[in-house]
Amino acid sequence: MFLSLLLSVMTALSFNGDTCTKKLEEANVQLCGKEDGDWVRHFTLHVGQQTYAFPEWEHVNDPKMIPQLHSVDVTKDGKEDIVVFLVKARGNGTYKNEVHVFAHHENGIEEMIVEDPRAVVLKSVKMRETDEGTELIIDHVHALIPYNRQGEKGVKVTFDRFLKYALDKQKLKAVLLLERKKGEYIGSLIVTFEYKDGLFQGTHIDFIRH
């Protein structure tokens, strides 16, 4: 669904004994971490001649689900930012990742705050049951989700089991799924972020039926 610019993923490259991404040459950025059982931990972000340590970061140690490093202008200030995606959980219908966004400054880099998309959805999306199905209301836009053949009611957002941050056309987005029951996904809620007032705020939500 999403396209990314200047993408680098974890490979078998070695950097002082760490497992590292391929270096983003134009941005002069590289991400490294150490394998620790089921996890990759002890991450370091190399930006030019500077190295930043993030001992609290974790990523599942899975060759099919690898960390991602991007250099793209998501703050819309004319300068490329550093974007890191780390996967925290996957499998058995579960997928959750996290995002870290850094802006370049004269004295180094600074991490930007990203509003929790779950809070954005909770305050912006309303649902109510009707005779025909569940009515979804987002910013005065109404969508009807009919009941299934068994007449099962109720739709919920998979806050606990699915949350995916991604880049789409230089915009940061987050995807949450709507389900009627576990494993029966009926649509996606896509939160688009914009950088303003010092943080990335969820400013728009799209609903896509599956």
Side-chain angles (χ1 to χ4, degrees):
M1 179 186 297
F2 294 108
L3 300 176
S4 301
L5 299 178
L6 293 177
L7 165 66
S8 181
V9 296
M10 297 297 279
T11 67
L13 297 176
S14 178
F15 187 95
N16 293 336
D18 294 351
T19 300
C20 300
T21 64
K22 182 178 179 181
K23 187 176 182 180
L24 297 179
E25 294 293 347
E26 291 187 12
N28 199 10
V29 176
Q30 189 173 40
L31 177 68
C32 297
K34 294 182 182 293
E35 293 185 5
D36 184 10
D38 293 335
W39 296 93
V40 178
R41 295 187 168 107
H42 309 292
F43 280 93
T44 52
L45 186 62
H46 304 276
V47 184
Q49 301 299 314
Q50 301 296 319
T51 298
Y52 303 87
F54 299 95
E56 73 281 8
W57 285 6
E58 292 183 326
H59 174 88
V60 294
N61 191 3
D62 185 341
K64 296 180 180 179
M65 196 62 58
I66 46 189
Q68 297 181 4
L69 174 66
H70 306 254
S71 181
V72 60
D73 182 13
V74 287
T75 53
K76 306 303 180 186
D77 63 354
K79 297 182 293 185
E80 290 187 350
D81 308 294
I82 300 169
V83 183
V84 176
F85 295 114
L86 302 174
V87 177
K88 306 293 288 185
R90 71 177 299 271
N92 298 321
T94 298
Y95 181 92
K96 297 176 75 174
N97 73 351
E98 67 181 24
V99 63
H100 299 278
V101 183
F102 298 88
H104 293 274
H105 295 290
E106 183 177 349
N107 296 323
I109 59 173
E110 178 184 1
E111 185 163 9
M112 306 284 96
I113 297 173
V114 179
E115 186 177 13
D116 191 330
R118 294 167 293 187
V120 177
V121 168
L122 282 174
K123 70 182 181 182
S124 303
V125 177
K126 309 299 180 185
M127 288 183 276
R128 66 185 183 94
E129 303 300 325
T130 70
D131 292 337
E132 294 78 22
T134 302
E135 186 179 28
L136 196 67
I137 306 169
I138 308 172
D139 294 333
H140 307 293
V141 176
H142 295 241
L144 182 66
I145 303 172
Y147 298 132
N148 60 16
R149 294 180 179 179
Q150 291 74 36
E152 293 176 318
K153 297 184 177 181
V155 172
K156 60 182 180 180
V157 184
T158 56
F159 288 130
D160 297 329
R161 291 186 290 105
F162 192 96
L163 171 58
K164 182 178 181 180
Y165 293 95
L167 288 173
D168 180 26
K169 299 177 181 179
Q170 295 186 278
K171 286 185 176 291
L172 180 64
K173 298 188 177 185
V175 182
L176 296 132
L177 297 181
L178 283 175
E179 65 177 1
R180 199 184 310 276
K181 58 184 179 181
K182 187 174 181 179
E184 185 185 342
Y185 300 117
I186 56 179
S188 299
L189 292 172
I190 303 175
V191 180
T192 299
F193 295 92
E194 291 185 10
Y195 183 73
K196 58 182 182 179
D197 300 327
L199 74 156
F200 284 93
Q201 301 180 31
T203 58
H204 185 75
I205 302 176
D206 290 303
F207 170 62
I208 298 177
R209 286 290 302 269
H210 289 185

